[in-house]
Amino acid sequence: MSTHKNLPSTDPKDRQTWIRHCLYLAVITAVYHTLQFVAGVAIYKRTNSPALITYALDALVSAPAALLLALRILRHNRIDIIGVDEKWRFRAVAIGYMTLSLVGLYLGATSLWYGRHSGRDLLSIVLAAVSMLAIPIIGSYMKSLAVELRSQTMKSTALFTFGNSYLSMVLLISQLLNIGMDNWWGDSLGALVMFPFMMQKGIQMLLDEGKHEYVEDTEE
Protein backbone atom coordinates (compact mmCIF):
# COMPACT_ATOMS: atom_id res chain seq x y z
CA MET A 1 0.00 0.00 0.00
CA SER A 2 1.39 3.40 -0.93
CA THR A 3 2.39 5.67 1.93
CA HIS A 4 2.03 8.79 -0.23
CA LYS A 5 -1.61 8.73 -1.32
CA ASN A 6 -2.71 11.12 1.44
CA LEU A 7 0.03 13.62 0.71
CA PRO A 8 -0.82 16.71 -1.35
CA SER A 9 0.27 16.37 -4.95
CA THR A 10 3.30 18.23 -6.21
CA ASP A 11 3.48 19.62 -9.70
CA PRO A 12 6.15 17.64 -11.62
CA LYS A 13 7.69 20.84 -12.97
CA ASP A 14 7.91 22.33 -9.48
CA ARG A 15 9.41 19.09 -8.16
CA GLN A 16 12.10 19.12 -10.81
CA THR A 17 12.86 22.74 -9.99
CA TRP A 18 13.33 21.92 -6.31
CA ILE A 19 15.51 18.92 -7.14
CA ARG A 20 17.63 21.17 -9.34
CA HIS A 21 17.95 23.60 -6.44
CA CYS A 22 19.07 20.70 -4.24
CA LEU A 23 21.78 19.93 -6.76
CA TYR A 24 23.00 23.53 -6.85
CA LEU A 25 22.94 23.77 -3.06
CA ALA A 26 24.86 20.50 -2.67
CA VAL A 27 27.57 21.76 -5.03
CA ILE A 28 27.74 25.12 -3.24
CA THR A 29 28.01 23.35 0.10
CA ALA A 30 30.80 21.10 -1.19
CA VAL A 31 32.73 24.13 -2.47
CA TYR A 32 32.18 26.02 0.76
CA HIS A 33 33.46 23.16 2.94
CA THR A 34 36.46 22.75 0.64
CA LEU A 35 37.36 26.42 1.09
CA GLN A 36 36.73 25.99 4.81
CA PHE A 37 39.22 23.13 4.92
CA VAL A 38 41.87 24.97 2.90
CA ALA A 39 41.56 28.11 5.04
CA GLY A 40 41.62 26.07 8.25
CA VAL A 41 44.79 24.19 7.27
CA ALA A 42 46.50 27.40 6.10
CA ILE A 43 45.84 29.12 9.44
CA TYR A 44 46.74 25.97 11.37
CA LYS A 45 50.21 25.97 9.82
CA ARG A 46 50.77 29.35 11.45
CA THR A 47 49.17 28.58 14.82
CA ASN A 48 49.25 24.80 15.48
CA SER A 49 45.75 25.21 16.89
CA PRO A 50 44.13 21.83 17.73
CA ALA A 51 40.65 23.36 17.61
CA LEU A 52 41.30 24.84 14.19
CA ILE A 53 42.64 21.64 12.63
CA THR A 54 39.76 19.62 14.12
CA TYR A 55 37.36 22.10 12.55
CA ALA A 56 39.18 21.78 9.22
CA LEU A 57 39.09 17.97 9.40
CA ASP A 58 35.32 18.04 9.83
CA ALA A 59 35.09 20.14 6.65
CA LEU A 60 37.35 17.60 4.93
CA VAL A 61 34.61 14.99 5.38
CA SER A 62 31.64 17.33 4.92
CA ALA A 63 32.86 18.44 1.46
CA PRO A 64 32.81 14.96 -0.16
CA ALA A 65 29.56 14.18 1.70
CA ALA A 66 27.89 17.14 -0.05
CA LEU A 67 29.50 16.16 -3.34
CA LEU A 68 28.14 12.60 -3.01
CA LEU A 69 24.66 14.07 -2.57
CA ALA A 70 25.11 16.11 -5.75
CA LEU A 71 26.31 13.06 -7.68
CA ARG A 72 23.36 11.02 -6.41
CA ILE A 73 20.95 13.68 -7.67
CA LEU A 74 22.67 13.72 -11.05
CA ARG A 75 22.54 9.95 -11.28
CA HIS A 76 18.95 9.35 -10.16
CA ASN A 77 17.35 12.78 -10.60
CA ARG A 78 15.96 12.09 -7.12
CA ILE A 79 17.06 12.74 -3.56
CA ASP A 80 16.12 9.84 -1.31
CA ILE A 81 17.72 6.96 -3.15
CA ILE A 82 20.95 5.27 -2.17
CA GLY A 83 21.95 2.55 -4.60
CA VAL A 84 23.58 -0.65 -3.43
CA ASP A 85 26.86 0.43 -5.02
CA GLU A 86 26.66 3.77 -3.20
CA LYS A 87 26.31 2.40 0.32
CA TRP A 88 30.05 1.90 0.78
CA ARG A 89 30.57 5.61 0.05
CA PHE A 90 27.90 6.45 2.61
CA ARG A 91 29.66 4.28 5.19
CA ALA A 92 33.05 5.77 4.28
CA VAL A 93 31.78 9.27 5.09
CA ALA A 94 30.41 8.05 8.44
CA ILE A 95 33.67 6.30 9.31
CA GLY A 96 35.55 9.41 8.20
CA TYR A 97 33.70 11.56 10.74
CA MET A 98 34.33 9.03 13.49
CA THR A 99 38.02 8.58 12.68
CA LEU A 100 38.83 12.27 12.38
CA SER A 101 36.92 13.00 15.57
CA LEU A 102 39.39 10.71 17.34
CA VAL A 103 42.25 12.66 15.76
CA GLY A 104 40.77 15.86 17.17
CA LEU A 105 40.36 14.22 20.57
CA TYR A 106 44.01 13.13 20.55
CA LEU A 107 45.31 16.55 19.49
CA GLY A 108 43.19 18.40 22.04
CA ALA A 109 44.02 16.01 24.89
CA THR A 110 47.77 15.94 24.27
CA SER A 111 47.91 19.71 23.80
CA LEU A 112 46.07 20.23 27.07
CA TRP A 113 48.13 17.58 28.92
CA TYR A 114 51.50 19.00 27.84
CA GLY A 115 50.40 22.62 28.15
CA ARG A 116 51.13 23.50 24.54
CA HIS A 117 50.38 27.09 23.62
CA SER A 118 48.86 27.73 20.21
CA GLY A 119 49.81 30.68 18.04
CA ARG A 120 47.37 33.52 17.58
CA ASP A 121 45.85 34.65 14.33
CA LEU A 122 42.81 36.89 14.01
CA LEU A 123 41.92 35.13 10.76
CA SER A 124 40.79 32.14 12.82
CA ILE A 125 38.17 34.35 14.44
CA VAL A 126 37.12 35.67 11.02
CA LEU A 127 36.81 32.12 9.68
CA ALA A 128 34.62 31.03 12.60
CA ALA A 129 32.45 34.17 12.39
CA VAL A 130 31.88 33.82 8.64
CA SER A 131 30.95 30.17 9.06
CA MET A 132 28.48 31.02 11.81
CA LEU A 133 26.75 33.36 9.38
CA ALA A 134 26.94 31.26 6.20
CA ILE A 135 26.14 27.78 7.50
CA PRO A 136 22.71 28.63 9.02
CA ILE A 137 21.70 30.26 5.73
CA ILE A 138 22.60 27.10 3.80
CA GLY A 139 20.85 24.95 6.39
CA SER A 140 17.69 27.07 6.27
CA TYR A 141 17.37 26.68 2.51
CA MET A 142 18.02 22.95 2.80
CA LYS A 143 15.19 22.75 5.33
CA SER A 144 12.88 24.61 2.94
CA LEU A 145 13.74 22.19 0.13
CA ALA A 146 13.13 19.24 2.45
CA VAL A 147 9.63 20.57 3.16
CA GLU A 148 8.88 21.18 -0.52
CA LEU A 149 10.05 17.71 -1.55
CA ARG A 150 9.10 15.89 1.66
CA SER A 151 12.64 14.55 1.54
CA GLN A 152 14.07 12.70 4.54
CA THR A 153 17.57 13.00 3.09
CA MET A 154 17.39 16.78 2.74
CA LYS A 155 15.90 17.00 6.23
CA SER A 156 18.82 15.02 7.65
CA THR A 157 21.30 17.06 5.62
CA ALA A 158 19.77 20.29 6.90
CA LEU A 159 20.06 19.08 10.50
CA PHE A 160 23.72 18.15 9.97
CA THR A 161 24.36 21.55 8.36
CA PHE A 162 22.73 23.41 11.23
CA GLY A 163 24.81 21.27 13.56
CA ASN A 164 27.99 22.41 11.83
CA SER A 165 27.27 25.91 13.10
CA TYR A 166 27.89 24.41 16.55
CA LEU A 167 31.47 23.65 15.52
CA SER A 168 31.85 27.21 14.25
CA MET A 169 30.59 28.54 17.59
CA VAL A 170 33.01 26.30 19.51
CA LEU A 171 35.90 27.43 17.29
CA LEU A 172 34.96 31.08 17.77
CA ILE A 173 34.78 30.75 21.55
CA SER A 174 38.08 28.83 21.71
CA GLN A 175 39.84 31.47 19.62
CA LEU A 176 38.38 34.31 21.67
CA LEU A 177 39.60 32.59 24.82
CA ASN A 178 43.06 32.08 23.32
CA ILE A 179 43.48 35.42 21.58
CA GLY A 180 41.18 37.80 23.41
CA MET A 181 41.51 36.52 26.98
CA ASP A 182 45.00 34.96 26.80
CA ASN A 183 43.73 31.58 28.02
CA TRP A 184 45.95 29.07 26.19
CA TRP A 185 43.85 26.10 27.30
CA GLY A 186 40.78 27.41 25.45
CA ASP A 187 42.15 26.20 22.14
CA SER A 188 42.78 22.65 23.36
CA LEU A 189 39.42 22.55 25.11
CA GLY A 190 37.73 23.57 21.84
CA ALA A 191 39.05 20.46 20.09
CA LEU A 192 37.81 18.26 22.93
CA VAL A 193 34.33 19.79 22.78
CA MET A 194 34.17 19.22 19.01
CA PHE A 195 34.96 15.52 19.39
CA PRO A 196 31.55 14.21 20.60
CA PHE A 197 29.64 16.11 17.90
CA MET A 198 31.81 14.76 15.08
CA MET A 199 31.61 11.24 16.51
CA GLN A 200 27.83 11.54 16.84
CA LYS A 201 27.51 12.55 13.18
CA GLY A 202 29.31 9.41 12.06
CA ILE A 203 27.32 7.13 14.37
CA GLN A 204 24.03 8.73 13.33
CA MET A 205 24.81 8.22 9.65
CA LEU A 206 25.44 4.51 10.24
CA LEU A 207 22.23 4.21 12.26
CA ASP A 208 20.24 5.98 9.54
CA GLU A 209 21.63 3.81 6.74
CA GLY A 210 18.77 2.35 4.74
CA LYS A 211 16.22 4.72 6.23
CA HIS A 212 16.45 7.26 3.40
CA GLU A 213 13.23 6.24 1.77
CA TYR A 214 12.05 7.97 -1.36
CA VAL A 215 9.20 10.10 -0.07
CA GLU A 216 8.65 12.44 -3.01
CA ASP A 217 5.54 12.14 -5.10
CA THR A 218 6.07 10.21 -8.31
CA GLU A 219 4.09 9.88 -11.45
CA GLU A 220 4.57 6.72 -13.42
Side-chain angles (χ1 to χ4, degrees):
M1 180 180 296
S2 173
T3 59
H4 313 298
K5 63 180 182 180
N6 295 323
L7 294 175
S9 61
T10 302
D11 186 280
K13 292 183 179 179
D14 290 341
R15 188 177 71 242
Q16 288 304 312
T17 298
W18 296 129
I19 290 176
R20 199 161 51 245
H21 286 188
C22 288
L23 172 61
Y24 299 154
L25 193 59
V27 172
I28 290 172
T29 303
V31 171
Y32 180 81
H33 283 308
T34 299
L35 295 175
Q36 197 176 0
F37 169 71
V38 171
V41 170
I43 301 173
Y44 169 74
K45 289 182 177 180
R46 295 154 56 175
T47 63
N48 288 319
S49 163
L52 192 58
I53 193 59
T54 302
Y55 180 75
L57 291 175
D58 179 83
L60 178 63
V61 183
S62 296
L67 184 59
L68 286 175
L69 176 60
L71 293 175
R72 190 192 312 164
I73 296 172
L74 284 173
R75 180 176 181 180
H76 301 291
N77 197 32
R78 295 179 179 180
I79 307 298
D80 292 285
I81 285 184
I82 300 179
V84 175
D85 59 333
E86 295 175 311
K87 287 188 176 181
W88 69 270
R89 299 185 184 93
F90 190 80
R91 293 170 184 166
V93 170
I95 294 172
Y97 278 126
M98 296 167 68
T99 302
L100 294 181
S101 71
L102 293 174
V103 174
L105 175 64
Y106 170 78
L107 292 174
T110 55
S111 180
L112 191 63
W113 179 263
Y114 292 109
R116 296 171 185 161
H117 291 236
S118 302
R120 300 172 182 177
D121 195 324
L122 289 176
L123 288 178
S124 61
I125 295 179
V126 173
L127 175 62
V130 169
S131 295
M132 284 191 66
L133 292 174
I135 290 178
I137 293 174
I138 295 174
S140 295
Y141 193 42
M142 284 183 175
K143 184 178 179 180
S144 298
L145 292 173
V147 172
E148 292 292 341
L149 291 169
R150 294 183 290 278
S151 168
Q152 180 60 42
T153 296
M154 286 306 294
K155 179 181 178 181
S156 299
T157 303
L159 290 175
F160 274 137
T161 302
F162 277 122
N164 284 339
S165 62
Y166 165 80
L167 292 183
S168 301
M169 179 185 69
V170 172
L171 178 64
L172 180 61
I173 293 174
S174 70
Q175 297 309 295
L176 288 175
L177 285 172
N178 184 36
I179 299 173
M181 302 180 66
D182 197 25
N183 291 325
W184 65 269
W185 48 263
D187 210 317
S188 303
L189 186 62
L192 295 178
V193 174
M194 291 180 189
F195 158 73
F197 174 73
M198 292 174 63
M199 178 62 74
Q200 187 272 337
K201 282 203 293 186
I203 294 174
Q204 191 63 48
M205 288 184 73
L206 292 179
L207 292 176
D208 288 346
E209 184 180 356
K211 296 181 180 180
H212 294 274
E213 299 176 355
Y214 182 52
V215 295
E216 301 172 32
D217 288 339
T218 59
E219 293 189 2
E220 299 297 340

